[in-house]
Amino acid sequence: MGCARNDVDSEELAGRLASRGWELTDDEADVVVVNTCGFIDAAKKDSIDALLAAADSGAKVVAVGCMAQRYGAELAAELPEADAVLSFDDYEDISGRLDDVLAGRSLVPHQPTDRRTLLPISPVRRQEAASSVAIPGHTRGPASGPRVLRSRLVGGPTASLKLASGCDRRCTFCAIPSFRGSFVSRHPSDILEEAQWLADDGVKELVLVSENSTSYGKDLGDVRLLESFLPRLAEVEGIERIRVAYLQPAEMRPGLLEVLLGTPKLAPYLDLSFQHSSPKILRRMKRFGGTDAFLALIEQARAIAPEVGIRTNVITGFPGEDEGDLAELERFLTEARMDAVGVFGYSDEEGTAAVGLDGHVPQDEIDERVAMLASLVDELGVQRAADRIGESVGVLVEEVGEYVEGRAAHQGPEVDGTATLRATSPAAYRIGEIIAARVVDADGLDLVAEPATER
């Protein structure tokens, strides 16, 4: 459930289980492991529904992931349908925990703690201490076995790859750092090794994920490590495209922007976490910037790569947001002309500072603002897609059938639309190819393109 980071964690769990003889099955499973999401109410509800559906199958049910980590014993008490609720600390011996479940042995659910307290406050002191803390997606296999502890659960030419885990930011609306912990970078050698493993499995596009990719390397003694590392990653044999997700606008640097948008094989694509653009609301969120600074950043990006794809998420209805703040956010979205924008209504998350702020907006007003902004960004996204008619693009082929379906470089997986190749002989194309094409039409965020050379 949840984000691409959870997808990677699920594949680590699958790799650990496969190394101990467990087999993945589509039906009649002995045990179902649900990797839950604990970010917002809607995601938590989806995770609960998945756990209940798994219990209806008659299999043993185990909850892992962010919601399980965040609530532990509380979740176990409120959801007796789950045979076990496990923490990140259980991942190393996930096979043993499932053995316990199948044998009917009782497992005492954990009492959650703030995982930020497990590592030193100073980033440069974390790497040594991190070896004794369970951090999903950071573990290497034993010297005598597979070096990459991961089994792909979904095939295809695209895969997510973890840069880091955790977050040191203190955004007042976000509880993630409390259960994911402090920011910890993966060593470049581990990332390169996993990238090559994915390439050998047929992956052509890597999506680098973390809670905050722009901080990569600060705990390794080099705050600009991402700039020097990305060109090295682009040299991995078999990888044709790389995109970096979860970029913080306040941490963007001119040198990083040049590398992201000027390095061969890096998709001209910026996934920027703006969240809002009113300086007042951003300060209340404990974030930085504002409309004019954000527009200047986008202008810099388009000066380097006019074709750059830009996506973001914004929150409306944050405590204290008035009509002026909403108008400022509208101005930003209108002038920024981004390719894709997710609009979310604010909701209280227990344990966050925003819960105690004054000026909470009534729910019906939040709903109205979400609907208004969603309509606006839908219209703007359609216009932006139409502006791309006539543009040359490289389409990564993901599906071949009656049509050839894929994504252009400015389109991230699952969220930014698709590109359909208008090909006379679809069977002549192979999944994983990147086809040079020209955009000839747009349907919403989706594009229609004609191959530069027909087959």
Side-chain angles (χ1 to χ4, degrees), residues 282-327:
L282 287 167
R283 286 195 300 271
R284 299 199 105 203
M285 291 178 167
K286 286 198 175 177
R287 297 175 67 85
F288 305 93
T291 297
D292 294 333
F294 293 163
L295 290 174
L297 174 60
I298 290 172
E299 184 178 355
Q300 292 169 23
R302 288 181 172 144
I304 299 169
E307 77 281 13
V308 62
I310 303 175
R311 73 158 289 111
T312 195
N313 293 318
V314 296
I315 298 171
T316 187
F318 191 81
E321 183 189 64
D322 58 27
E323 292 298 328
D325 302 313
L326 186 62

Side-chain angles (χ1 to χ4, degrees), residues 174-185:
C174 183
I176 289 175
S178 66
F179 54 85
R180 276 290 184 178
S182 299
F183 183 89
V184 180
S185 303

Side-chain angles (χ1 to χ4, degrees), residues 213-362:
S213 296
T214 34
S215 282
Y216 179 70
K218 72 176 186 179
D219 54 323
L220 295 172
D222 184 356
V223 295
R224 291 179 172 78
L225 182 57
L226 194 58
E227 286 99 306
S228 60
F229 174 66
L230 288 174
R232 292 175 59 195
L233 187 62
E235 295 174 357
V236 171
E237 186 176 355
I239 297 301
E240 299 297 331
R241 180 183 288 171
I242 299 168
R243 68 181 72 242
V244 185
Y246 307 107
L247 301 167
Q248 286 289 343
E251 297 181 22
M252 291 297 291
R253 309 172 288 275
L256 177 57
L257 204 58
E258 291 282 353
V259 169
L260 287 169
L261 301 179
T263 303
K265 294 190 178 180
L266 260 73
Y269 178 83
L270 297 176
D271 175 13
L272 290 161
S273 178
F274 288 119
Q275 303 300 346
H276 210 284
S277 72
S278 161
K280 182 191 85 178
I281 295 301
L282 287 167
R283 286 195 300 271
R284 299 199 105 203
M285 291 178 167
K286 286 198 175 177
R287 297 175 67 85
F288 305 93
T291 297
D292 294 333
F294 293 163
L295 290 174
L297 174 60
I298 290 172
E299 184 178 355
Q300 292 169 23
R302 288 181 172 144
I304 299 169
E307 77 281 13
V308 62
I310 303 175
R311 73 158 289 111
T312 195
N313 293 318
V314 296
I315 298 171
T316 187
F318 191 81
E321 183 189 64
D322 58 27
E323 292 298 328
D325 302 313
L326 186 62
E328 188 72 359
L329 181 55
E330 288 182 71
R331 178 171 81 89
F332 169 60
L333 295 173
T334 301
E335 295 184 25
R337 298 184 301 109
M338 290 178 281
D339 293 82
V341 179
V343 178
F344 296 89
Y346 170 80
S347 62
D348 281 338
E349 277 292 308
E350 64 267 37
T352 63
V355 174
L357 292 176
D358 59 7
H360 272 60
V361 180

